[in-house]
Amino acid sequence: MYTLVRTIGLIPGPATEAFQVALEITEYLNKNYSTNLKVFIPIFTTLSKVAWIGNYENLSIIEEINRKLRTDQGYWALVAKMGEKVIEGSGKDELFQSL
């Protein structure tokens, strides 16, 4: 089992709008790619961040989704909608394997 965690830092002003777009991205991916993503925001901190967390049976599922996303215009439209709200260079992906 693998868990993928993707985080991005948000510009403080439009954070609430960014949270809504993060939910839209999550809904889109879960509907179109049968993922089980959930979106999280931190509490008890002054930083604005969003984290997407999903669990996958094997790495080939992650690879296949990434391959399809490269040409998915609907996905990229949502990413562009989020773009102005993200701190440039703040994205981070972490992949965990269960023991």
Side-chain angles (χ1 to χ4, degrees), residues 39-76:
V39 65
F40 295 85
I41 58 172
I43 57 173
F44 306 123
T45 181
T46 58
L47 297 174
S48 294
K49 232 185 227 193
V50 170
W52 288 271
I53 300 175
N55 297 303
Y56 304 90
E57 289 295 320
N58 57 61
L59 291 176
S60 64
I61 295 169
I62 298 170
E63 292 171 348
E64 180 67 14
I65 291 170
N66 282 332
R67 186 185 62 73
K68 290 178 179 179
L69 285 176
R70 288 186 197 123
T71 58
D72 184 332
Q73 297 303 313
Y75 170 74
W76 288 108

PDB file of all heavy atoms in Angstrom, residues 39-76:
ATOM      1  N   VAL A  39      -8.803  16.044   0.775  1.00  0.00           N
ATOM      2  CA  VAL A  39      -8.056  17.298   0.878  1.00  0.00           C
ATOM      3  C   VAL A  39      -8.060  17.741   2.341  1.00  0.00           C
ATOM      4  O   VAL A  39      -9.064  17.598   3.043  1.00  0.00           O
ATOM      5  CB  VAL A  39      -8.631  18.373  -0.072  1.00  0.00           C
ATOM      6  CG1 VAL A  39     -10.035  18.774   0.299  1.00  0.00           C
ATOM      7  CG2 VAL A  39      -7.734  19.587  -0.143  1.00  0.00           C
ATOM      8  N   PHE A  40      -6.915  18.242   2.782  1.00  0.00           N
ATOM      9  CA  PHE A  40      -6.738  18.654   4.168  1.00  0.00           C
ATOM     10  C   PHE A  40      -6.165  20.058   4.228  1.00  0.00           C
ATOM     11  O   PHE A  40      -5.427  20.467   3.328  1.00  0.00           O
ATOM     12  CB  PHE A  40      -5.771  17.709   4.892  1.00  0.00           C
ATOM     13  CG  PHE A  40      -6.279  16.309   5.024  1.00  0.00           C
ATOM     14  CD1 PHE A  40      -6.107  15.387   3.997  1.00  0.00           C
ATOM     15  CD2 PHE A  40      -6.935  15.903   6.172  1.00  0.00           C
ATOM     16  CE1 PHE A  40      -6.572  14.089   4.120  1.00  0.00           C
ATOM     17  CE2 PHE A  40      -7.411  14.599   6.305  1.00  0.00           C
ATOM     18  CZ  PHE A  40      -7.229  13.700   5.273  1.00  0.00           C
ATOM     19  N   ILE A  41      -6.490  20.763   5.305  1.00  0.00           N
ATOM     20  CA  ILE A  41      -5.865  22.050   5.585  1.00  0.00           C
ATOM     21  C   ILE A  41      -5.349  21.996   7.017  1.00  0.00           C
ATOM     22  O   ILE A  41      -5.918  21.309   7.862  1.00  0.00           O
ATOM     23  CB  ILE A  41      -6.838  23.233   5.387  1.00  0.00           C
ATOM     24  CG1 ILE A  41      -8.075  23.092   6.281  1.00  0.00           C
ATOM     25  CG2 ILE A  41      -7.234  23.367   3.916  1.00  0.00           C
ATOM     26  CD1 ILE A  41      -8.991  24.305   6.278  1.00  0.00           C
ATOM     27  N   PRO A  42      -4.257  22.714   7.303  1.00  0.00           N
ATOM     28  CA  PRO A  42      -3.712  22.682   8.659  1.00  0.00           C
ATOM     29  C   PRO A  42      -4.554  23.530   9.612  1.00  0.00           C
ATOM     30  O   PRO A  42      -5.231  24.466   9.191  1.00  0.00           O
ATOM     31  CB  PRO A  42      -2.313  23.262   8.503  1.00  0.00           C
ATOM     32  CG  PRO A  42      -2.413  24.139   7.306  1.00  0.00           C
ATOM     33  CD  PRO A  42      -3.433  23.509   6.405  1.00  0.00           C
ATOM     34  N   ILE A  43      -4.491  23.181  10.874  1.00  0.00           N
ATOM     35  CA  ILE A  43      -5.133  23.993  11.899  1.00  0.00           C
ATOM     36  C   ILE A  43      -4.075  24.393  12.929  1.00  0.00           C
ATOM     37  O   ILE A  43      -2.997  23.798  12.985  1.00  0.00           O
ATOM     38  CB  ILE A  43      -6.305  23.249  12.568  1.00  0.00           C
ATOM     39  CG1 ILE A  43      -5.853  21.926  13.173  1.00  0.00           C
ATOM     40  CG2 ILE A  43      -7.419  22.999  11.567  1.00  0.00           C
ATOM     41  CD1 ILE A  43      -6.923  21.219  13.990  1.00  0.00           C
ATOM     42  N   PHE A  44      -4.363  25.399  13.690  1.00  0.00           N
ATOM     43  CA  PHE A  44      -3.457  25.899  14.729  1.00  0.00           C
ATOM     44  C   PHE A  44      -2.124  26.372  14.152  1.00  0.00           C
ATOM     45  O   PHE A  44      -1.066  26.133  14.724  1.00  0.00           O
ATOM     46  CB  PHE A  44      -3.225  24.851  15.820  1.00  0.00           C
ATOM     47  CG  PHE A  44      -4.488  24.326  16.425  1.00  0.00           C
ATOM     48  CD1 PHE A  44      -4.767  22.972  16.420  1.00  0.00           C
ATOM     49  CD2 PHE A  44      -5.428  25.191  16.969  1.00  0.00           C
ATOM     50  CE1 PHE A  44      -5.938  22.486  16.980  1.00  0.00           C
ATOM     51  CE2 PHE A  44      -6.600  24.712  17.529  1.00  0.00           C
ATOM     52  CZ  PHE A  44      -6.855  23.361  17.533  1.00  0.00           C
ATOM     53  N   THR A  45      -2.180  27.031  13.001  1.00  0.00           N
ATOM     54  CA  THR A  45      -0.978  27.579  12.382  1.00  0.00           C
ATOM     55  C   THR A  45      -1.353  28.825  11.600  1.00  0.00           C
ATOM     56  O   THR A  45      -2.504  28.991  11.195  1.00  0.00           O
ATOM     57  CB  THR A  45      -0.300  26.543  11.451  1.00  0.00           C
ATOM     58  OG1 THR A  45       0.869  27.135  10.893  1.00  0.00           O
ATOM     59  CG2 THR A  45      -1.217  26.098  10.342  1.00  0.00           C
ATOM     60  N   THR A  46      -0.396  29.690  11.384  1.00  0.00           N
ATOM     61  CA  THR A  46      -0.655  30.887  10.590  1.00  0.00           C
ATOM     62  C   THR A  46      -0.416  30.636   9.107  1.00  0.00           C
ATOM     63  O   THR A  46      -0.757  31.467   8.287  1.00  0.00           O
ATOM     64  CB  THR A  46       0.245  32.053  11.054  1.00  0.00           C
ATOM     65  OG1 THR A  46       1.606  31.653  10.945  1.00  0.00           O
ATOM     66  CG2 THR A  46      -0.070  32.446  12.485  1.00  0.00           C
ATOM     67  N   LEU A  47       0.170  29.510   8.770  1.00  0.00           N
ATOM     68  CA  LEU A  47       0.455  29.203   7.373  1.00  0.00           C
ATOM     69  C   LEU A  47      -0.797  28.700   6.670  1.00  0.00           C
ATOM     70  O   LEU A  47      -1.585  27.947   7.228  1.00  0.00           O
ATOM     71  CB  LEU A  47       1.543  28.131   7.278  1.00  0.00           C
ATOM     72  CG  LEU A  47       2.900  28.513   7.843  1.00  0.00           C
ATOM     73  CD1 LEU A  47       3.826  27.320   7.805  1.00  0.00           C
ATOM     74  CD2 LEU A  47       3.490  29.683   7.103  1.00  0.00           C
ATOM     75  N   SER A  48      -0.968  29.109   5.432  1.00  0.00           N
ATOM     76  CA  SER A  48      -2.055  28.591   4.607  1.00  0.00           C
ATOM     77  C   SER A  48      -1.478  27.538   3.686  1.00  0.00           C
ATOM     78  O   SER A  48      -0.548  27.809   2.927  1.00  0.00           O
ATOM     79  CB  SER A  48      -2.691  29.719   3.797  1.00  0.00           C
ATOM     80  OG  SER A  48      -3.332  30.621   4.649  1.00  0.00           O
ATOM     81  N   LYS A  49      -2.028  26.356   3.767  1.00  0.00           N
ATOM     82  CA  LYS A  49      -1.533  25.215   3.007  1.00  0.00           C
ATOM     83  C   LYS A  49      -2.698  24.326   2.650  1.00  0.00           C
ATOM     84  O   LYS A  49      -3.738  24.338   3.313  1.00  0.00           O
ATOM     85  CB  LYS A  49      -0.603  24.412   3.905  1.00  0.00           C
ATOM     86  CG  LYS A  49       0.742  24.108   3.370  1.00  0.00           C
ATOM     87  CD  LYS A  49       1.464  23.200   4.352  1.00  0.00           C
ATOM     88  CE  LYS A  49       2.833  23.726   4.583  1.00  0.00           C
ATOM     89  NZ  LYS A  49       3.701  22.776   5.272  1.00  0.00           N
ATOM     90  N   VAL A  50      -2.509  23.535   1.618  1.00  0.00           N
ATOM     91  CA  VAL A  50      -3.464  22.492   1.251  1.00  0.00           C
ATOM     92  C   VAL A  50      -2.670  21.209   1.055  1.00  0.00           C
ATOM     93  O   VAL A  50      -1.571  21.229   0.504  1.00  0.00           O
ATOM     94  CB  VAL A  50      -4.224  22.840  -0.053  1.00  0.00           C
ATOM     95  CG1 VAL A  50      -5.030  21.665  -0.543  1.00  0.00           C
ATOM     96  CG2 VAL A  50      -5.126  24.037   0.143  1.00  0.00           C
ATOM     97  N   ALA A  51      -3.245  20.102   1.510  1.00  0.00           N
ATOM     98  CA  ALA A  51      -2.624  18.792   1.295  1.00  0.00           C
ATOM     99  C   ALA A  51      -3.658  17.854   0.687  1.00  0.00           C
ATOM    100  O   ALA A  51      -4.807  17.826   1.125  1.00  0.00           O
ATOM    101  CB  ALA A  51      -2.116  18.217   2.613  1.00  0.00           C
ATOM    102  N   TRP A  52      -3.253  17.138  -0.352  1.00  0.00           N
ATOM    103  CA  TRP A  52      -4.069  16.065  -0.916  1.00  0.00           C
ATOM    104  C   TRP A  52      -3.415  14.761  -0.492  1.00  0.00           C
ATOM    105  O   TRP A  52      -2.210  14.591  -0.631  1.00  0.00           O
ATOM    106  CB  TRP A  52      -4.091  16.128  -2.438  1.00  0.00           C
ATOM    107  CG  TRP A  52      -4.883  17.253  -2.993  1.00  0.00           C
ATOM    108  CD1 TRP A  52      -6.211  17.239  -3.300  1.00  0.00           C
ATOM    109  CD2 TRP A  52      -4.401  18.550  -3.353  1.00  0.00           C
ATOM    110  NE1 TRP A  52      -6.588  18.461  -3.815  1.00  0.00           N
ATOM    111  CE2 TRP A  52      -5.493  19.284  -3.857  1.00  0.00           C
ATOM    112  CE3 TRP A  52      -3.154  19.181  -3.286  1.00  0.00           C
ATOM    113  CZ2 TRP A  52      -5.382  20.598  -4.303  1.00  0.00           C
ATOM    114  CZ3 TRP A  52      -3.046  20.482  -3.727  1.00  0.00           C
ATOM    115  CH2 TRP A  52      -4.142  21.172  -4.230  1.00  0.00           C
ATOM    116  N   ILE A  53      -4.228  13.837   0.000  1.00  0.00           N
ATOM    117  CA  ILE A  53      -3.698  12.553   0.444  1.00  0.00           C
ATOM    118  C   ILE A  53      -4.537  11.445  -0.181  1.00  0.00           C
ATOM    119  O   ILE A  53      -5.772  11.483  -0.126  1.00  0.00           O
ATOM    120  CB  ILE A  53      -3.714  12.450   1.987  1.00  0.00           C
ATOM    121  CG1 ILE A  53      -2.855  13.576   2.584  1.00  0.00           C
ATOM    122  CG2 ILE A  53      -3.226  11.073   2.438  1.00  0.00           C
ATOM    123  CD1 ILE A  53      -2.888  13.651   4.088  1.00  0.00           C
ATOM    124  N   GLY A  54      -3.844  10.495  -0.796  1.00  0.00           N
ATOM    125  CA  GLY A  54      -4.525   9.366  -1.423  1.00  0.00           C
ATOM    126  C   GLY A  54      -3.771   8.076  -1.168  1.00  0.00           C
ATOM    127  O   GLY A  54      -2.546   8.078  -1.023  1.00  0.00           O
ATOM    128  N   ASN A  55      -4.499   6.987  -1.110  1.00  0.00           N
ATOM    129  CA  ASN A  55      -3.912   5.657  -0.906  1.00  0.00           C
ATOM    130  C   ASN A  55      -4.072   4.824  -2.169  1.00  0.00           C
ATOM    131  O   ASN A  55      -5.127   4.865  -2.814  1.00  0.00           O
ATOM    132  CB  ASN A  55      -4.592   4.957   0.272  1.00  0.00           C
ATOM    133  CG  ASN A  55      -4.362   5.697   1.563  1.00  0.00           C
ATOM    134  OD1 ASN A  55      -3.225   5.928   1.955  1.00  0.00           O
ATOM    135  ND2 ASN A  55      -5.432   6.092   2.225  1.00  0.00           N
ATOM    136  N   TYR A  56      -3.028   4.060  -2.481  1.00  0.00           N
ATOM    137  CA  TYR A  56      -3.000   3.280  -3.719  1.00  0.00           C
ATOM    138  C   TYR A  56      -2.431   1.895  -3.432  1.00  0.00           C
ATOM    139  O   TYR A  56      -1.495   1.756  -2.645  1.00  0.00           O
ATOM    140  CB  TYR A  56      -2.148   3.992  -4.772  1.00  0.00           C
ATOM    141  CG  TYR A  56      -2.625   5.394  -5.031  1.00  0.00           C
ATOM    142  CD1 TYR A  56      -2.134   6.461  -4.292  1.00  0.00           C
ATOM    143  CD2 TYR A  56      -3.600   5.643  -5.978  1.00  0.00           C
ATOM    144  CE1 TYR A  56      -2.590   7.748  -4.512  1.00  0.00           C
ATOM    145  CE2 TYR A  56      -4.069   6.929  -6.207  1.00  0.00           C
ATOM    146  CZ  TYR A  56      -3.554   7.974  -5.461  1.00  0.00           C
ATOM    147  OH  TYR A  56      -4.030   9.253  -5.668  1.00  0.00           O
ATOM    148  N   GLU A  57      -2.962   0.909  -4.101  1.00  0.00           N
ATOM    149  CA  GLU A  57      -2.505  -0.471  -3.919  1.00  0.00           C
ATOM    150  C   GLU A  57      -1.092  -0.689  -4.439  1.00  0.00           C
ATOM    151  O   GLU A  57      -0.330  -1.457  -3.867  1.00  0.00           O
ATOM    152  CB  GLU A  57      -3.465  -1.444  -4.616  1.00  0.00           C
ATOM    153  CG  GLU A  57      -4.796  -1.576  -3.928  1.00  0.00           C
ATOM    154  CD  GLU A  57      -4.683  -2.185  -2.540  1.00  0.00           C
ATOM    155  OE1 GLU A  57      -3.892  -3.121  -2.351  1.00  0.00           O
ATOM    156  OE2 GLU A  57      -5.382  -1.687  -1.645  1.00  0.00           O
ATOM    157  N   ASN A  58      -0.750  -0.025  -5.554  1.00  0.00           N
ATOM    158  CA  ASN A  58       0.586  -0.208  -6.123  1.00  0.00           C
ATOM    159  C   ASN A  58       1.008   1.035  -6.898  1.00  0.00           C
ATOM    160  O   ASN A  58       0.200   1.911  -7.191  1.00  0.00           O
ATOM    161  CB  ASN A  58       0.649  -1.469  -6.996  1.00  0.00           C
ATOM    162  CG  ASN A  58      -0.359  -1.435  -8.105  1.00  0.00           C
ATOM    163  OD1 ASN A  58      -0.324  -0.541  -8.958  1.00  0.00           O
ATOM    164  ND2 ASN A  58      -1.284  -2.383  -8.119  1.00  0.00           N
ATOM    165  N   LEU A  59       2.285   1.090  -7.220  1.00  0.00           N
ATOM    166  CA  LEU A  59       2.842   2.260  -7.897  1.00  0.00           C
ATOM    167  C   LEU A  59       2.337   2.416  -9.324  1.00  0.00           C
ATOM    168  O   LEU A  59       2.261   3.527  -9.840  1.00  0.00           O
ATOM    169  CB  LEU A  59       4.371   2.179  -7.903  1.00  0.00           C
ATOM    170  CG  LEU A  59       5.039   2.337  -6.550  1.00  0.00           C
ATOM    171  CD1 LEU A  59       6.539   2.133  -6.680  1.00  0.00           C
ATOM    172  CD2 LEU A  59       4.722   3.680  -5.939  1.00  0.00           C
ATOM    173  N   SER A  60       1.967   1.328  -9.966  1.00  0.00           N
ATOM    174  CA  SER A  60       1.507   1.423 -11.354  1.00  0.00           C
ATOM    175  C   SER A  60       0.210   2.236 -11.457  1.00  0.00           C
ATOM    176  O   SER A  60      -0.024   2.890 -12.470  1.00  0.00           O
ATOM    177  CB  SER A  60       1.339   0.038 -11.972  1.00  0.00           C
ATOM    178  OG  SER A  60       0.337  -0.686 -11.306  1.00  0.00           O
ATOM    179  N   ILE A  61      -0.601   2.223 -10.422  1.00  0.00           N
ATOM    180  CA  ILE A  61      -1.827   3.030 -10.429  1.00  0.00           C
ATOM    181  C   ILE A  61      -1.469   4.512 -10.439  1.00  0.00           C
ATOM    182  O   ILE A  61      -2.030   5.296 -11.212  1.00  0.00           O
ATOM    183  CB  ILE A  61      -2.713   2.685  -9.211  1.00  0.00           C
ATOM    184  CG1 ILE A  61      -3.203   1.247  -9.297  1.00  0.00           C
ATOM    185  CG2 ILE A  61      -3.888   3.660  -9.104  1.00  0.00           C
ATOM    186  CD1 ILE A  61      -3.861   0.734  -8.029  1.00  0.00           C
ATOM    187  N   ILE A  62      -0.516   4.901  -9.619  1.00  0.00           N
ATOM    188  CA  ILE A  62      -0.074   6.298  -9.568  1.00  0.00           C
ATOM    189  C   ILE A  62       0.525   6.702 -10.906  1.00  0.00           C
ATOM    190  O   ILE A  62       0.234   7.779 -11.435  1.00  0.00           O
ATOM    191  CB  ILE A  62       0.941   6.504  -8.422  1.00  0.00           C
ATOM    192  CG1 ILE A  62       0.275   6.203  -7.074  1.00  0.00           C
ATOM    193  CG2 ILE A  62       1.507   7.927  -8.448  1.00  0.00           C
ATOM    194  CD1 ILE A  62       1.247   6.135  -5.914  1.00  0.00           C
ATOM    195  N   GLU A  63       1.351   5.851 -11.475  1.00  0.00           N
ATOM    196  CA  GLU A  63       1.973   6.135 -12.769  1.00  0.00           C
ATOM    197  C   GLU A  63       0.925   6.307 -13.865  1.00  0.00           C
ATOM    198  O   GLU A  63       1.027   7.212 -14.697  1.00  0.00           O
ATOM    199  CB  GLU A  63       2.953   5.024 -13.146  1.00  0.00           C
ATOM    200  CG  GLU A  63       4.171   4.984 -12.268  1.00  0.00           C
ATOM    201  CD  GLU A  63       5.035   3.752 -12.495  1.00  0.00           C
ATOM    202  OE1 GLU A  63       4.585   2.799 -13.178  1.00  0.00           O
ATOM    203  OE2 GLU A  63       6.157   3.735 -11.982  1.00  0.00           O
ATOM    204  N   GLU A  64      -0.082   5.455 -13.877  1.00  0.00           N
ATOM    205  CA  GLU A  64      -1.137   5.525 -14.893  1.00  0.00           C
ATOM    206  C   GLU A  64      -1.946   6.814 -14.762  1.00  0.00           C
ATOM    207  O   GLU A  64      -2.253   7.473 -15.753  1.00  0.00           O
ATOM    208  CB  GLU A  64      -2.057   4.305 -14.779  1.00  0.00           C
ATOM    209  CG  GLU A  64      -3.183   4.280 -15.772  1.00  0.00           C
ATOM    210  CD  GLU A  64      -2.736   4.097 -17.215  1.00  0.00           C
ATOM    211  OE1 GLU A  64      -1.571   3.732 -17.453  1.00  0.00           O
ATOM    212  OE2 GLU A  64      -3.570   4.322 -18.112  1.00  0.00           O
ATOM    213  N   ILE A  65      -2.288   7.182 -13.554  1.00  0.00           N
ATOM    214  CA  ILE A  65      -3.032   8.436 -13.341  1.00  0.00           C
ATOM    215  C   ILE A  65      -2.193   9.616 -13.805  1.00  0.00           C
ATOM    216  O   ILE A  65      -2.686  10.497 -14.526  1.00  0.00           O
ATOM    217  CB  ILE A  65      -3.439   8.583 -11.858  1.00  0.00           C
ATOM    218  CG1 ILE A  65      -4.508   7.550 -11.501  1.00  0.00           C
ATOM    219  CG2 ILE A  65      -3.944  10.002 -11.569  1.00  0.00           C
ATOM    220  CD1 ILE A  65      -4.806   7.440 -10.020  1.00  0.00           C
ATOM    221  N   ASN A  66      -0.922   9.652 -13.424  1.00  0.00           N
ATOM    222  CA  ASN A  66      -0.049  10.753 -13.844  1.00  0.00           C
ATOM    223  C   ASN A  66       0.073  10.824 -15.360  1.00  0.00           C
ATOM    224  O   ASN A  66       0.097  11.910 -15.941  1.00  0.00           O
ATOM    225  CB  ASN A  66       1.331  10.623 -13.194  1.00  0.00           C
ATOM    226  CG  ASN A  66       1.327  11.076 -11.758  1.00  0.00           C
ATOM    227  OD1 ASN A  66       0.537  11.923 -11.357  1.00  0.00           O
ATOM    228  ND2 ASN A  66       2.207  10.503 -10.962  1.00  0.00           N
ATOM    229  N   ARG A  67       0.153   9.672 -16.012  1.00  0.00           N
ATOM    230  CA  ARG A  67       0.252   9.642 -17.476  1.00  0.00           C
ATOM    231  C   ARG A  67      -0.997  10.262 -18.101  1.00  0.00           C
ATOM    232  O   ARG A  67      -0.917  11.085 -19.005  1.00  0.00           O
ATOM    233  CB  ARG A  67       0.440   8.210 -17.972  1.00  0.00           C
ATOM    234  CG  ARG A  67       0.695   8.099 -19.476  1.00  0.00           C
ATOM    235  CD  ARG A  67       0.763   6.661 -19.930  1.00  0.00           C
ATOM    236  NE  ARG A  67      -0.467   5.918 -19.727  1.00  0.00           N
ATOM    237  CZ  ARG A  67      -1.584   6.080 -20.453  1.00  0.00           C
ATOM    238  NH1 ARG A  67      -1.620   6.967 -21.416  1.00  0.00           N
ATOM    239  NH2 ARG A  67      -2.652   5.346 -20.221  1.00  0.00           N
ATOM    240  N   LYS A  68      -2.164   9.896 -17.603  1.00  0.00           N
ATOM    241  CA  LYS A  68      -3.419  10.420 -18.151  1.00  0.00           C
ATOM    242  C   LYS A  68      -3.595  11.904 -17.855  1.00  0.00           C
ATOM    243  O   LYS A  68      -4.139  12.649 -18.676  1.00  0.00           O
ATOM    244  CB  LYS A  68      -4.600   9.630 -17.596  1.00  0.00           C
ATOM    245  CG  LYS A  68      -4.682   8.220 -18.130  1.00  0.00           C
ATOM    246  CD  LYS A  68      -5.848   7.467 -17.516  1.00  0.00           C
ATOM    247  CE  LYS A  68      -5.943   6.059 -18.067  1.00  0.00           C
ATOM    248  NZ  LYS A  68      -7.055   5.306 -17.454  1.00  0.00           N
ATOM    249  N   LEU A  69      -3.135  12.342 -16.691  1.00  0.00           N
ATOM    250  CA  LEU A  69      -3.302  13.746 -16.314  1.00  0.00           C
ATOM    251  C   LEU A  69      -2.522  14.692 -17.218  1.00  0.00           C
ATOM    252  O   LEU A  69      -2.924  15.846 -17.399  1.00  0.00           O
ATOM    253  CB  LEU A  69      -2.873  13.963 -14.859  1.00  0.00           C
ATOM    254  CG  LEU A  69      -3.836  13.469 -13.795  1.00  0.00           C
ATOM    255  CD1 LEU A  69      -3.232  13.653 -12.415  1.00  0.00           C
ATOM    256  CD2 LEU A  69      -5.173  14.167 -13.892  1.00  0.00           C
ATOM    257  N   ARG A  70      -1.440  14.216 -17.786  1.00  0.00           N
ATOM    258  CA  ARG A  70      -0.616  15.080 -18.651  1.00  0.00           C
ATOM    259  C   ARG A  70      -1.412  15.704 -19.785  1.00  0.00           C
ATOM    260  O   ARG A  70      -1.093  16.804 -20.241  1.00  0.00           O
ATOM    261  CB  ARG A  70       0.557  14.291 -19.217  1.00  0.00           C
ATOM    262  CG  ARG A  70       1.596  13.970 -18.202  1.00  0.00           C
ATOM    263  CD  ARG A  70       2.819  13.314 -18.835  1.00  0.00           C
ATOM    264  NE  ARG A  70       3.578  12.672 -17.789  1.00  0.00           N
ATOM    265  CZ  ARG A  70       3.902  11.391 -17.763  1.00  0.00           C
ATOM    266  NH1 ARG A  70       3.564  10.601 -18.763  1.00  0.00           N
ATOM    267  NH2 ARG A  70       4.586  10.898 -16.758  1.00  0.00           N
ATOM    268  N   THR A  71      -2.443  15.008 -20.251  1.00  0.00           N
ATOM    269  CA  THR A  71      -3.224  15.515 -21.390  1.00  0.00           C
ATOM    270  C   THR A  71      -4.677  15.819 -21.029  1.00  0.00           C
ATOM    271  O   THR A  71      -5.496  16.051 -21.910  1.00  0.00           O
ATOM    272  CB  THR A  71      -3.192  14.490 -22.541  1.00  0.00           C
ATOM    273  OG1 THR A  71      -3.726  13.248 -22.068  1.00  0.00           O
ATOM    274  CG2 THR A  71      -1.783  14.296 -23.072  1.00  0.00           C
ATOM    275  N   ASP A  72      -4.991  15.849 -19.756  1.00  0.00           N
ATOM    276  CA  ASP A  72      -6.368  16.086 -19.308  1.00  0.00           C
ATOM    277  C   ASP A  72      -6.620  17.588 -19.170  1.00  0.00           C
ATOM    278  O   ASP A  72      -6.217  18.213 -18.184  1.00  0.00           O
ATOM    279  CB  ASP A  72      -6.606  15.371 -17.976  1.00  0.00           C
ATOM    280  CG  ASP A  72      -8.040  15.481 -17.493  1.00  0.00           C
ATOM    281  OD1 ASP A  72      -8.734  16.468 -17.822  1.00  0.00           O
ATOM    282  OD2 ASP A  72      -8.472  14.574 -16.763  1.00  0.00           O
ATOM    283  N   GLN A  73      -7.287  18.159 -20.156  1.00  0.00           N
ATOM    284  CA  GLN A  73      -7.526  19.607 -20.178  1.00  0.00           C
ATOM    285  C   GLN A  73      -8.407  20.081 -19.026  1.00  0.00           C
ATOM    286  O   GLN A  73      -8.236  21.195 -18.528  1.00  0.00           O
ATOM    287  CB  GLN A  73      -8.126  20.019 -21.526  1.00  0.00           C
ATOM    288  CG  GLN A  73      -7.200  19.762 -22.707  1.00  0.00           C
ATOM    289  CD  GLN A  73      -5.865  20.462 -22.541  1.00  0.00           C
ATOM    290  OE1 GLN A  73      -5.795  21.637 -22.205  1.00  0.00           O
ATOM    291  NE2 GLN A  73      -4.772  19.729 -22.770  1.00  0.00           N
ATOM    292  N   GLY A  74      -9.360  19.264 -18.595  1.00  0.00           N
ATOM    293  CA  GLY A  74     -10.209  19.627 -17.464  1.00  0.00           C
ATOM    294  C   GLY A  74      -9.402  19.779 -16.183  1.00  0.00           C
ATOM    295  O   GLY A  74      -9.597  20.725 -15.414  1.00  0.00           O
ATOM    296  N   TYR A  75      -8.484  18.865 -15.985  1.00  0.00           N
ATOM    297  CA  TYR A  75      -7.609  18.926 -14.816  1.00  0.00           C
ATOM    298  C   TYR A  75      -6.736  20.176 -14.867  1.00  0.00           C
ATOM    299  O   TYR A  75      -6.628  20.911 -13.896  1.00  0.00           O
ATOM    300  CB  TYR A  75      -6.752  17.665 -14.742  1.00  0.00           C
ATOM    301  CG  TYR A  75      -5.643  17.743 -13.716  1.00  0.00           C
ATOM    302  CD1 TYR A  75      -5.933  17.645 -12.357  1.00  0.00           C
ATOM    303  CD2 TYR A  75      -4.316  17.912 -14.107  1.00  0.00           C
ATOM    304  CE1 TYR A  75      -4.921  17.718 -11.407  1.00  0.00           C
ATOM    305  CE2 TYR A  75      -3.301  17.983 -13.166  1.00  0.00           C
ATOM    306  CZ  TYR A  75      -3.601  17.889 -11.829  1.00  0.00           C
ATOM    307  OH  TYR A  75      -2.599  17.972 -10.888  1.00  0.00           O
ATOM    308  N   TRP A  76      -6.122  20.429 -16.025  1.00  0.00           N
ATOM    309  CA  TRP A  76      -5.217  21.569 -16.146  1.00  0.00           C
ATOM    310  C   TRP A  76      -5.951  22.898 -16.019  1.00  0.00           C
ATOM    311  O   TRP A  76      -5.384  23.886 -15.543  1.00  0.00           O
ATOM    312  CB  TRP A  76      -4.400  21.480 -17.430  1.00  0.00           C
ATOM    313  CG  TRP A  76      -3.380  20.386 -17.308  1.00  0.00           C
ATOM    314  CD1 TRP A  76      -3.393  19.174 -17.930  1.00  0.00           C
ATOM    315  CD2 TRP A  76      -2.243  20.378 -16.440  1.00  0.00           C
ATOM    316  NE1 TRP A  76      -2.329  18.416 -17.505  1.00  0.00           N
ATOM    317  CE2 TRP A  76      -1.607  19.131 -16.598  1.00  0.00           C
ATOM    318  CE3 TRP A  76      -1.709  21.298 -15.547  1.00  0.00           C
ATOM    319  CZ2 TRP A  76      -0.451  18.798 -15.896  1.00  0.00           C
ATOM    320  CZ3 TRP A  76      -0.557  20.952 -14.842  1.00  0.00           C
ATOM    321  CH2 TRP A  76       0.065  19.723 -15.023  1.00  0.00           C
TER     322      TRP A  76
END
